[in-house]
Every structure is written in structure tokens, then in C-alpha cells.
Amino acid sequence: MRLSKRAESIQASPIRKLAPLAVRAKARGISIYHLNIGQPDIPTPEAYLKAVQRYGGPVLSYGPSDGLPELKKAVSTYFAANSIEIAPEELIITTGGSEAALFALNLVGDPGDEVIVPEPFYTNYNGFATLAGMKVVPVTTRAEDGFHLPPMEDIEKKVTSRTRAILVCSPNNPTGTILAREELEGLARIALQHGLFLIGDEVYKEFTYDGGHHTSLLELPEVRENAIVVDSISKRFSACGARIGALISRNEDVIDMAMKFAQARLCPPTIEQLGAAEAYKLGRDYFDGVRTEYQQRRDALLEGLSAHSGIYVKKPAGAFYMVLRLPVDDTESFARWMLDEFEVDGETVMVAPAAGFYATPGLGMNEVRVAYVLQIPRLKKAANILVEGVRAYNRSRGRSVAAGS
Amino acid sequence: MRLSKRAESIQASPIRKLAPLAVRAKARGISIYHLNIGQPDIPTPEAYLKAVQRYGGPVLSYGPSDGLPELKKAVSTYFAANSIEIAPEELIITTGGSEAALFALNLVGDPGDEVIVPEPFYTNYNGFATLAGMKVVPVTTRAEDGFHLPPMEDIEKKVTSRTRAILVCSPNNPTGTILAREELEGLARIALQHGLFLIGDEVYKEFTYDGGHHTSLLELPEVRENAIVVDSISKRFSACGARIGALISRNEDVIDMAMKFAQARLCPPTIEQLGAAEAYKLGRDYFDGVRTEYQQRRDALLEGLSAHSGIYVKKPAGAFYMVLRLPVDDTESFARWMLDEFEVDGETVMVAPAAGFYATPGLGMNEVRVAYVLQIPRLKKAANILVEGVRAYNRSRGRSVAAGS
């Protein structure tokens, strides 16, 4: 039986593909520091859990396709507290940010159309684009530039007659970079010039450090009709398993059409929406604590990694990821070796090889993504094991540490 | 800003599009018997609700992309109790049957490919096909035949070089028809002859009356590699808001590729899966009570409708829907009139015009779908109001009842 081309061509998750090696390592009694996935260990807010526990039925019925009114209102209120006016009618609750991203691509393009995405990027954009039949056109960003955007003319050169949108993630997964307002304004000029949509994956919006601020596409009045924002509670409230997100746009046609997609899949999960609505009522100070915790983790991880002069990273300003350049030839081989052959007192570290975050073949071979989603003492140990691992890996290959670029 | 062709062309839900009229009617103080939607009033099992209430966190984390192991095992056990051996590895938990159907289409076809579907059919297949860029090719079934399949040669004539699958729903939404094993075997011969997949939407599997039995595509050994089954707990456990379903296939390639789609959207909602796993442990006798209740409802509705000789319907064998032919010229106009202008003691009935369930233009204009998801005393009142409504509508248009076909 021949399956569809899209089924054959869709990328297996590069983040999850090393999972079987981790299972084997655990079977050998090794414990693993999972720096490879963005699964926060911060407790889900009590308010969320209590709302779930309060749910008494009697009939767990379909909700509205655009989400429960109380959740839509809570999201609107949350944005207002961020000085962004979004009416409940300007957003649709989705089954995770994933569904919002998939809806966004399906809204802006047809099979064969293109979307420009700065790389490295969240790998599942590949999957969503494949499902939508669209082509991801990468714009390479570099570690030396802190993964900020290249000159706007380099981005504009990528625009073709098939380009429908530019998709940016800020604060960024995998790099932690926060795009400056000027960068977004540059993209806005390109979007207006060429009639493109701007899709903003802003799910890490609250995770900004050192007093920094994230500018939303929704704050740029000139792209009122062009901007579509993908949002999610997964990281915001440490509720990844809830699968509650939102698609936000002030463009009425976008919302009207997205509503048709939403109706086709009936509704997002009801009980999880009840939890989300309560979490959104927590107020701004909830985030202060979370932000402080992540900033300290980032700093602890960076300090631990600084023990190896061959590990290159610029301090990222947001999210809870960073891309490290390692002094090894192939980080996928290194990541496998860490799971299969390395340990320090029965412990090792799992990282995500970065090649899967690039669309351009050959890039990211000496980079890994790490997430700082563990408590500080554990992060420090993980950093130490990673440093030792890099040294041991190169010794095992007869490569001197100094040879690392 | 130009949106995608698929966004422009995707069908608005014909089931939900009369909703604003219902809102207006309610605002006038009219109460409405909702025969238009398949939202059961049967309580969600206590076991489900208790599992949800027990959930204590602390971190609502991502689950496996293919679903929680305990739920996969529970689904497998459920099928075994139905004499269908499905290993946990042969199924992927999805976000509702909707996602399973969307995955199935994306797995078997690319943009421009075709899927043959007997009409009338569940209207959201249109939305899924539009999202997948595929074309629905209808095979018309008729009320006089109890909406059973036409001769197999009529179906085979629809096969082209672009045909990738035949999609059947049994027990059927909207008709309530259960396809006989011989019908499925006929489809199997076509599928084997032309190398097609057979997609079975079997979410109403438990809803079979008069001692009848539903045969699953999974019970046909000859299409072991061709069969993909869409499953859901929405109706089975009266948990529509849970958004928990499954994609089932013994074809390893199908599961492997579906897993890549599943990874792209990370995982189904976690807490709802915990509830579903407990519901699946209820055992077979749970369904006996539900089945008896629905059978009695069906009979009560049919008896009530028999008061009008111009309403045509053959007793359906399963699900909880039926398609009625009404002696009116345009059931959409009738359905609107029932909401806008008709009432009996402050009450009216909402039905779903059937034209939206057909892909062939012009069909279904004198048909409506009704769902018997209300308690019997309410169903009887609803049937009476519907009968009175048909009479009054025709009087208001100067059309004699006898003129109804």
C-alpha cells in the first residue's frame, strides 16, 4: 500500500528520535538529565488543578468551537494586562499552540506556497508545513549574532511569487533570542511591501530576563491586518499536557476562516479549558517568580558550561533554551555517545542535536539545543557532566579539546 | 490580504450555521428541543469524572505522542472484549475522532487525490478533505434503500487514477444505517482490486439496536493492510468535550507515519486521557444500559413522527440519528422558520437540514437529520412539535400536506 507523499516526507521529530537510546540507558541503570526537551518542572498552578478537580459533569459535552467564553475572556484580560487590547472575538482557543500554528499555515497558504522562517527554528514547523503542503524557506541566523535576524535585504531576497508569510518565534525556541522591535518593524515593512502575513509564535512571551521586554506583533499597528499570533499555555503555566493554545488576529477574515477550521474539529478539550481559565486569573505576579527562577537557571547553566572554553554560547535573553556550539564534529554522534557510552557516577545528559532545527542541510552539525527546565542543583550537575562528556568524547576520538572551533 | 484557497473554500458547518437563529429564539423566551446536534444527554461515567477529580499534578506534562500507555492498553482490552485483537502498538490516541480522520486522509492522499464517500455523510469530512487538499467523490445512497450502499459496480465506477481510499461510517451519522458484512466485503474487493485504503469511521460502534451487530473493517482479514479505523470516546462514553479518539490500523507503515503526524502536535490532552482510561475499564454491561435507552428513544421518536403520514423514514439500526424526508420543498427554509416563526406553548424544535450532508448539489433538500439524544418524554414532545410544525409550515405556504412526496 502506497502512502501519501506527505506521510513519507514528514520529518520524524529530531527531538524525540534519540528516545530509544535513553530508554536503553535507563535500563542499564543510568539516570539522565533531560536537557533535550522543553518540559518544565515548575508545578502547574494550584488554581488550574483545583478547577479540574472541581469538575463534576454531569455531561462532558462539546464546547464552542472557538473555546469556552470564560477562557476567551480570561485570555483577553491577560493581554490587556500586557497593554495589548485583544477582544475575545479576535481569538480562537486551539488544541495547543500546535493547532494554532497548523491553522495559521493553512489559512495563509495552499500546497506549493512558501513561508519564510529564520533558522534554527522549532522543528515541528516542518511537520505543520508538510501537512499544509507548504515549503519552509529558511533564513539563516548565526550564533555570533546572537541568532538575531540578518539584514532585512537578505530576508527580502527570499520572497518569491509563492511566498505567503514570514513566521518568527520570539522569544525563540531553540535559541532563546528575543527579536527587537526594530527587527519586527523591518519584517513588517517587508510584509506590507509584498502583501505577506506575519505569523508570530509568541508562546514564550513571559520568559524574558534581565528586565528585557518582548514585543508582540500585535503591538505593531502597521501590520494589524497581517499579524497572526500563535499562543499557548503549555509553558506559560507549565501545563504542556493541557493542549490549550490560541490563534489571535485582528484581521476579521482570518478569524472567520479559522473558525471554519475550528468547527471541523468541533472544539478544544473542555476540562483543560476550565483549568486554563483559572490559571489566567492568577495575575502578573505569578510570572515574576517563574521568571526569576528561569533567569537563575540560565545563569547557573551558563556558568557551569563556562568551565569548557570550547563551548560557545551568547547569553540568551528569553525562553528557556539555548543553542550551544560544541567542539565536536557531529553533535548527533556525540548525543548518542552520551547516552550509550558515557556516565559520571551513573548519570549522563541528553541533548538535542541542532541539525534538525535547520532546514539548510549541513547546518547545526556542531550545535545542540539545551533546555534549562531543571532545578539549579540538578542543572549544575548536568552542566558538569556535559563538560566532562565533551572532553571524554574528544579524547575517545583522539581529538584535542583545543581543536574545537 | 488574500487568504488561502482552502480557507476560502472550506465549508462552514451546516449543523452549526443555524445557531444564531436559535440564539434569537431563546432571546424571545422560546425553548428549543435540539434535535440538530449529536450531543448526548447521557451522564459521563462516574469513573471518568473521578479520575479527573483525582488528578493532583504536580506538573501537567507532555504525554507520549501516541497516547498514555494505560489508555492504549485499555482501548486494546476493549476491542478484545469485542473479539477484535488490536495490540496497543496498532493504535495511536488522537485528539478526538476528528484528528484521527484528518490524519487518515493525510496519510492516504496528497493534494488533488480523491476519497470516495457514500452520501449523505458526516459533514466535517468536507472540512478534513479541504484541509488535506483532497476531493470527496460521493456515492449517493437513498432513503428507499435504508441508505445502504448501491450496487458495488456503481461504487467501482467512481474509482479513478487519483482515488486513494473509500471512507465509510458505520453505524452511520447521519442515517443510522449499519453496513452489512457483505457490503464491507464488497468494498474490500474494490479496495484490493485498485490498491485503495478503506477508512472506517466506527465511533458509533456500540450503538446497535434490535440485537443487531456492527462489523468492523478490522474484522475483515483480507484488508488487514488496507483498513484504517477512526475511533472516539465522544459518544461511546458521552464525553464529547474530552476530545479523545484513536487511529487504528494493523498496517505498520500507517502507524509509523501517523506517529510522525502525532509527534508534530506533541500529544493528546493528558487529564482527559486519564478519564478515558477509567471509562474503558467499565466493562460490557455499561453499554447494555445505554443501548437500551437509545433504542427506546429511537422507537419513541419514530412513533411520534408516524402521526404525520408525509414524513418518510425507515427504522435505522444504529447510531442515534435518522434522516427524515419531510413534505416540504426546502428543509433549510423550514428549519429557519421553525426557529424564527413557530412555537407550541413557547417551545420549538431545531433540526439539521440535510443538504449539507450531501456533496452532490441539490440532494437532501427535502431531508433533515435528527438526533435522538433527549429523554423520552422530551423526545415525544419534540416529535409532536415537529409534526405540528410541518403542518403549519405548509399551511402558511398554502401547500397541502398531501402534496408532500
Side-chain angles (χ1 to χ4, degrees):
Chain A
M1 295 299 298
R2 182 175 64 81
L3 288 164
S4 65
K5 290 186 196 80
R6 71 182 130 211
E8 302 285 354
S9 66
I10 192 171
Q11 181 189 38
S13 168
I15 306 173
R16 296 191 171 210
K17 74 178 173 183
L18 299 182
L21 283 72
V23 171
R24 283 209 305 265
K26 283 172 187 162
R28 293 198 316 275
I30 306 290
S31 62
I32 300 174
Y33 294 101
H34 282 280
L35 303 187
N36 58 307
I37 47 168
Q39 170 56 61
D41 65 342
I42 304 275
T44 310
E46 273 294 307
Y48 186 109
L49 301 178
K50 286 207 167 122
V52 167
Q53 288 156 1
R54 264 199 313 271
Y55 181 75
V59 182
L60 180 52
S61 55
Y62 289 124
S65 295
D66 55 339
L68 297 178
E70 63 231 71
L71 176 55
K72 294 187 69 172
K73 186 157 179 294
V75 173
S76 172
T77 304
Y78 161 83
F79 275 95
N82 277 282
S83 307
I84 298 175
E85 296 299 328
I86 291 293
E89 306 79 57
E90 292 169 333
L91 66 96
I92 284 177
I93 302 298
T94 55
T95 306
S98 301
E99 188 180 66
L102 186 60
F103 280 0
L105 289 179
N106 275 290
L107 282 166
V108 303
D110 287 300
D113 285 343
E114 298 170 3
V115 55
I116 295 172
V117 189
E119 67 180 352
F121 57 78
Y122 177 52
T123 60
N124 284 336
Y125 297 160
N126 283 319
F128 304 142
T130 302
L131 278 166
M134 291 173 69
K135 189 178 159 197
V136 169
V137 176
V139 172
T140 307
T141 66
R142 292 156 14 105
E144 288 78 1
D145 304 325
F147 295 105
H148 280 278
L149 297 180
M152 286 300 145
E153 50 269 32
D154 292 1
I155 298 175
E156 197 162 10
K157 274 183 209 148
K158 303 280 184 179
V159 176
T160 74
S161 62
R162 298 308 298 264
T163 307
R164 297 302 304 135
I166 303 172
L167 163 57
V168 288
C169 175
S170 173
N172 190 270
N173 174 8
T175 65
T177 303
I178 300 179
L179 294 181
R181 187 177 182 111
E182 293 68 35
E183 291 176 280
L184 298 179
E185 287 171 343
L187 295 176
R189 280 192 296 277
I190 297 175
L192 291 169
Q193 177 76 26
H194 299 276
L196 308 180
F197 283 97
L198 278 185
I199 304 172
D201 177 347
E202 303 185 353
V203 302
Y204 296 97
K205 162 176 200 61
E206 293 294 345
F207 301 92
T208 60
Y209 311 122
D210 311 315
H213 170 72
H214 160 254
T215 302
S216 169
L217 289 178
L218 300 167
E219 293 177 72
L220 271 52
E222 65 269 36
V223 286
R224 182 187 166 85
E225 296 295 310
N226 309 64
I228 302 175
V229 164
V230 170
D231 202 42
S232 167
I233 71 159
S234 291
K235 316 295 162 115
R236 184 167 300 152
F237 296 117
S238 202
C240 298
R243 316 313 301 131
I244 299 296
L247 180 131
I248 306 169
S249 180
R250 297 201 182 90
N251 182 322
E252 275 184 42
D253 290 342
V254 166
I255 294 296
D256 286 352
M257 300 294 140
M259 189 63 183
K260 295 195 291 180
F261 293 161
Q263 285 181 341
R265 59 67 164 134
L266 303 170
C267 66
T270 296
I271 295 174
E272 315 272 12
Q273 288 185 80
L274 296 172
E278 290 308 310
Y280 266 113
K281 292 175 191 159
L282 283 171
R284 299 296 309 158
D285 50 345
Y286 167 77
F287 300 110
D288 296 338
V290 174
R291 203 178 287 119
T292 304
E293 172 68 23
Y294 277 112
Q295 180 172 325
Q296 288 170 352
R297 290 176 178 195
R298 177 199 61 176
D299 295 341
L301 180 60
L302 285 171
E303 191 189 325
L305 295 172
S306 70
H308 195 310
S309 63
I311 298 178
Y312 179 85
V313 58
K314 280 201 172 182
K315 186 193 280 192
F320 42 61
Y321 305 97
M322 52 181 90
V323 168
L324 311 177
R325 187 189 295 159
L326 301 184
V328 302
D329 45 5
D330 176 0
T331 50
E332 174 153 346
S333 155
F334 169 72
R336 291 175 177 274
W337 178 88
M338 287 289 285
L339 294 169
D340 274 346
E341 302 187 34
F342 188 67
E343 61 163 292
V344 175
D345 301 333
E347 297 181 326
T348 192
V349 166
M350 189 165 175
V351 294
F357 296 85
Y358 287 86
T360 304
L363 292 185
M365 299 281 288
N366 60 353
E367 292 174 345
V368 295
R369 186 194 71 173
V370 289
Y372 40 101
V373 290
L374 307 176
Q375 289 178 343
I376 287 173
R378 288 171 55 75
L379 265 185
K380 285 184 175 171
K381 288 188 83 171
N384 185 46
I385 292 169
L386 188 54
V387 164
E388 291 304 318
V390 169
R391 288 190 180 124
Y393 177 79
N394 281 329
R395 273 199 303 275
S396 77
R397 273 152 182 71
R399 190 170 191 251
S400 87
V401 175
S405 66
Chain B
M1 296 298 301
R2 182 175 64 81
L3 288 163
S4 64
K5 291 187 195 79
R6 71 183 129 210
E8 302 285 354
S9 65
I10 193 170
Q11 181 190 40
S13 168
I15 306 174
R16 295 189 171 213
K17 74 178 173 184
L18 298 182
L21 282 74
V23 171
R24 281 210 305 265
K26 283 172 188 164
R28 293 198 316 273
I30 306 290
S31 64
I32 300 174
Y33 293 100
H34 283 280
L35 304 187
N36 58 309
I37 47 167
Q39 170 57 61
D41 64 342
I42 303 276
T44 309
E46 272 294 305
Y48 186 108
L49 301 179
K50 286 206 168 122
V52 167
Q53 288 156 0
R54 265 200 311 272
Y55 181 76
V59 182
L60 180 52
S61 55
Y62 289 125
S65 295
D66 55 339
L68 296 179
E70 64 232 69
L71 176 55
K72 294 187 68 172
K73 187 158 178 294
V75 174
S76 172
T77 304
Y78 161 83
F79 275 95
N82 277 282
S83 306
I84 300 175
E85 295 299 328
I86 291 294
E89 305 80 55
E90 293 169 333
L91 67 95
I92 284 176
I93 302 299
T94 55
T95 306
S98 302
E99 189 182 62
L102 186 60
F103 280 0
L105 289 180
N106 275 290
L107 283 165
V108 303
D110 287 299
D113 286 342
E114 297 170 3
V115 55
I116 295 171
V117 189
E119 68 180 353
F121 56 79
Y122 177 53
T123 59
N124 283 335
Y125 297 161
N126 283 320
F128 305 142
T130 302
L131 278 166
M134 292 172 69
K135 188 180 159 195
V136 170
V137 175
V139 172
T140 307
T141 67
R142 292 156 15 107
E144 288 78 2
D145 305 324
F147 295 105
H148 280 279
L149 297 180
M152 285 300 145
E153 51 269 32
D154 292 0
I155 298 176
E156 197 163 9
K157 273 183 210 147
K158 302 281 186 178
V159 176
T160 74
S161 62
R162 297 306 299 264
T163 308
R164 298 302 304 137
I166 303 171
L167 163 57
V168 288
C169 175
S170 174
N172 190 270
N173 174 8
T175 65
T177 303
I178 300 179
L179 294 181
R181 187 178 181 109
E182 294 66 35
E183 291 176 280
L184 297 179
E185 286 172 344
L187 296 177
R189 279 192 296 276
I190 297 175
L192 291 169
Q193 177 77 26
H194 298 277
L196 307 180
F197 283 97
L198 278 185
I199 303 172
D201 177 347
E202 304 186 351
V203 303
Y204 296 97
K205 149 175 210 68
E206 294 294 345
F207 301 92
T208 59
Y209 311 122
D210 310 316
H213 169 72
H214 160 253
T215 302
S216 170
L217 290 178
L218 299 168
E219 293 178 71
L220 271 52
E222 65 270 35
V223 286
R224 181 186 167 84
E225 296 296 308
N226 310 64
I228 302 174
V229 163
V230 170
D231 202 43
S232 167
I233 71 159
S234 291
K235 315 296 160 116
R236 186 167 300 153
F237 297 117
S238 202
C240 298
R243 315 314 300 131
I244 299 296
L247 179 131
I248 306 170
S249 179
R250 297 200 182 90
N251 182 322
E252 276 184 42
D253 290 342
V254 165
I255 295 296
D256 287 351
M257 300 296 140
M259 188 64 182
K260 295 194 291 181
F261 293 161
Q263 285 180 342
R265 59 68 164 133
L266 302 171
C267 66
T270 297
I271 294 173
E272 315 273 12
Q273 288 185 80
L274 296 173
E278 291 307 311
Y280 267 114
K281 292 176 191 159
L282 284 171
R284 299 296 311 158
D285 51 344
Y286 167 77
F287 299 109
D288 294 340
V290 175
R291 203 178 287 119
T292 304
E293 172 68 22
Y294 277 113
Q295 181 173 324
Q296 288 170 353
R297 290 176 179 193
R298 177 199 62 175
D299 295 343
L301 180 59
L302 284 171
E303 192 190 324
L305 294 173
S306 70
H308 194 311
S309 62
I311 297 179
Y312 179 85
V313 57
K314 280 202 170 180
K315 186 193 279 193
F320 42 60
Y321 305 97
M322 53 181 88
V323 169
L324 312 176
R325 187 189 294 159
L326 300 184
V328 302
D329 45 6
D330 175 0
T331 50
E332 175 154 344
S333 155
F334 169 71
R336 290 175 177 275
W337 178 88
M338 286 289 285
L339 293 169
D340 273 347
E341 302 187 35
F342 188 67
E343 61 163 291
V344 175
D345 300 334
E347 298 181 324
T348 191
V349 166
M350 188 165 176
V351 294
F357 296 85
Y358 287 85
T360 304
L363 293 185
M365 298 281 288
N366 59 353
E367 293 174 345
V368 295
R369 185 193 72 171
V370 290
Y372 40 100
V373 289
L374 306 177
Q375 292 179 341
I376 288 173
R378 289 172 54 74
L379 265 183
K380 284 183 176 171
K381 288 188 83 170
N384 184 46
I385 292 170
L386 188 53
V387 164
E388 291 304 318
V390 168
R391 289 189 180 125
Y393 177 80
N394 282 328
R395 272 198 305 274
S396 77
R397 273 154 183 69
R399 188 170 192 252
S400 87
V401 176
S405 67

